[in-house]
Each structure stands twice: as structure tokens, then as C-alpha cells.
Amino acid sequence: MVLASPPADDGASALQRMLGDNVITTTLEKMWNWARSWSFWPLSYGCNCCPIEMMAAGGARFDIARFGYEVFRAVPRQADLLVVAGPITLKMAPVVKRVYEQMPSPKWVLAMGNCATSGGPFRDGYSILPGADSLFKVDIYVPGCPPRPEALFHGLLELKRRVERGEY
Amino acid sequence: MDASALDGLLADLHASAPGGLEVRRDGACTLLQAAPADLPVVMRLLREQAGLNYLANLTAVDRGESFEVVYHLFRIPADGAQVVVKCRVPRAEPRLPSVVALYPTADWQEREVYDLMGVIFDGHPNLVRVLLPDDFVGHPLRKDFKVTAT
Ligand code: SF4
């Protein structure tokens, strides 16, 4: 199995030709990224409606475990993907920010739903942030109110592609 | 509550509320409009003599010149009895005695009314914001509150 094909004329591909299919050459970083992209450990943050779809994604019907992303953590230290599924209130904002900072790098953020993307229906309210990206960098936006589990998977697989290529 | 039980108490209530007490009936619900200064004694009579031992809800309405604080009282075990006490405080000086000592469920609810409507409950053990961050400016459920961009 070749994880990613290096440019045609470098030494590595010559080596690969020499070794045939018996030995794999790659870089450590590529190995890491390949492994990371198939096993996000999500930390969930949510209010009540988007998280229901997230829970459905974890259930047997949609089965997030097909992709290796089922290890939902309740501890930031063990997670590398923050799924913001719901509005962030002004009071909650410092807490979410702190939880994000407690996650070890590399880490990613997926904004699930209109609330996390832009404040959604509460945007003009007196107590809601207009989107998670006013607190930290968001890698993937999944629109919808709420998005279906398929949409969440689409976002996760998009993130997977990026992480695999090391584009983060 | 059944009308006769409260009727027996009404004379006492009127006597103990020099600020005036307006009584209205709407089906099973009895509504009392009391003056702010009379609130503690009215609530105590309702609790101790009418047996309304549960404050289920405490909220406030912006009436323009005044704020109307509303208390919903029930009995436990439930028997359908319901008394609503309303109290108006002027907008310029929105102060009301706290009923936390009488009804512990009033604790967070008075904080909420303080937080969102800006009514100050004298005698509350810890009157700080409960839903909004401590550094929030203003009371957003007042009709004249304007949202500034976050
Ligand atoms: S986007 Fe819609 S479903 Fe999701 S948290 Fe906001 S209101 Fe709820």
C-alpha cells in the first residue's frame, strides 16, 4: 500500500521502484496525517437541536464509526476535533475558548449548523456570538438548521481530505 | 384554591395590606394585586395560612412607567389551587422586598428578573446576574433596551 505518491522524479520514487511492493516508504508526517485523518476524536459542544443530529450520526443508522470518528470525548485533553454544534452565548464564550485552548495540537474546529456558522436565528439577539469563528479559527462550516448527519459526514470527510494532505 | 378557604383569609389580607389589595377571580385562579411594601406580609399569610407552599414561577413584565413582578403560588401536594400575586414597582425606582427567606425557589428567579429586567430585590442573599455575563451592560428584556453589535 502506498500512502501518497511522491513527485515522479525524486529519489524516493526511485527507491520505491527498487523496493517494489514489499516495503513502503513515506515520511513520518504523512503517516501521522493519514492516521489522524481516519481517527478524529471529537469533543462535542452543543445546545440541544444540532447535537440531536450529531447523536443520530453516532447511532446505528448513520454510524459515524464507519469513518473512525466515533470516539466522542468529554475531555478536551483527549480530543483533536471540536465540533461546535449550537450557538455560543456570551456567558459560555470564555469557557468554550478555554476548552479549545486545552486541546492538544494539532486540532481542528468544525462549525455544525447555522448557529455555529453565523449565529443563526439568534444572531440579532443580545446574548449570542455571531459564529464560532469570532472565538477561534474554524476549519469546516456545515450549514443547516440542523444539518442532517450526512451533511456532518460530508464536512468530516472534507476535513479528512485536508488533514491527509497536511493542509491545516 | 377553593373560594371559601381564601375568603376566610381575605379579611386578614386586606387588614394587613394598608397599601390596598385588589382581588380578582378567574376560574380556579385567584389574582391579588398588592402594593410593594405589603408584599412580604401578603406572601407570608398566603404561605402560612392558605398553605400555598410552592412558588413555581416568578417573572416580570415591562409596563412602561412601571415593572410588574408576578408570583405564581401553588400547593404541594398539588390540589389545583393557584394564586397569582402581582406587584408594580415604578421604573425610576424598581425595588421590591425579596421573598427568598419565605420561598427558597425565588432565589434564582429573582436573580433572573434582576438580570433581564433590572428589578432590585432588597434582602436577596446573592443578587448577581445569572444568565448573562457579569460585565453585561443593561437589562435586555426592558422594552427600551437596544442591542449593540457583539
Ligand atoms: S443551527 Fe438550528 S438546529 Fe442548529 S443549534 Fe442552531 S437553531 Fe439549533
Side-chain angles (χ1 to χ4, degrees), chain A residues 40-43 79-83 103 107-110 156 159:
Chain A
F40 295 129
W41 285 31
L43 174 71
D80 58 1
L81 171 66
L82 174 59
V83 180
M103 291 165 62
K107 55 189 167 187
W108 303 279
V109 179
L110 185 146
L156 284 168
L159 182 63

Side-chain angles (χ1 to χ4, degrees), chain A residues 47 49-50 84-88 111-122 128-132 144-145:
Chain A
C47 54
C49 24
C50 270
V84 183
I88 300 178
M112 178 181 184
N114 295 352
C115 286
T117 301
S118 67
F122 312 110
I128 298 287
L129 282 185
C145 184

Side-chain angles (χ1 to χ4, degrees), chain B residues 6 8-18 20-21 23 32 38 41-46 50 83:
Chain B
L6 191 64
L9 194 61
L10 274 181
D12 282 353
L13 281 170
H14 277 293
S16 60
L21 194 70
V23 183
L32 305 173
D38 299 335
V41 61
V42 168
M43 296 291 269
R44 184 148 40 76
L45 281 176
L46 289 172
V83 171

Side-chain angles (χ1 to χ4, degrees), chain A residues 7 26 30 43 86-87 97 114 135 145 149 153 155 159:
Chain A
T26 182
K30 273 183 191 151
L43 174 71
K97 176 103 186 158
N114 295 352
L135 279 185
C145 184
F153 292 156
L159 182 63

Side-chain angles (χ1 to χ4, degrees), chain A residues 89-92 94 122-130 134, chain B residues 111 116 129-134 136 140-141 145 147-148 150:
Chain A
T89 60
L90 294 185
K91 184 144 184 169
M92 196 67 181
F122 312 110
R123 187 187 173 91
D124 296 329
Y126 54 83
S127 60
I128 298 287
L129 282 185
S134 42
Chain B
R111 282 174 63 189
L116 302 180
R129 290 188 185 273
V130 59
L131 295 172
L132 293 167
D134 291 335
F136 192 89
L141 290 197
F145 180 85
V147 179
T148 47
T150 44

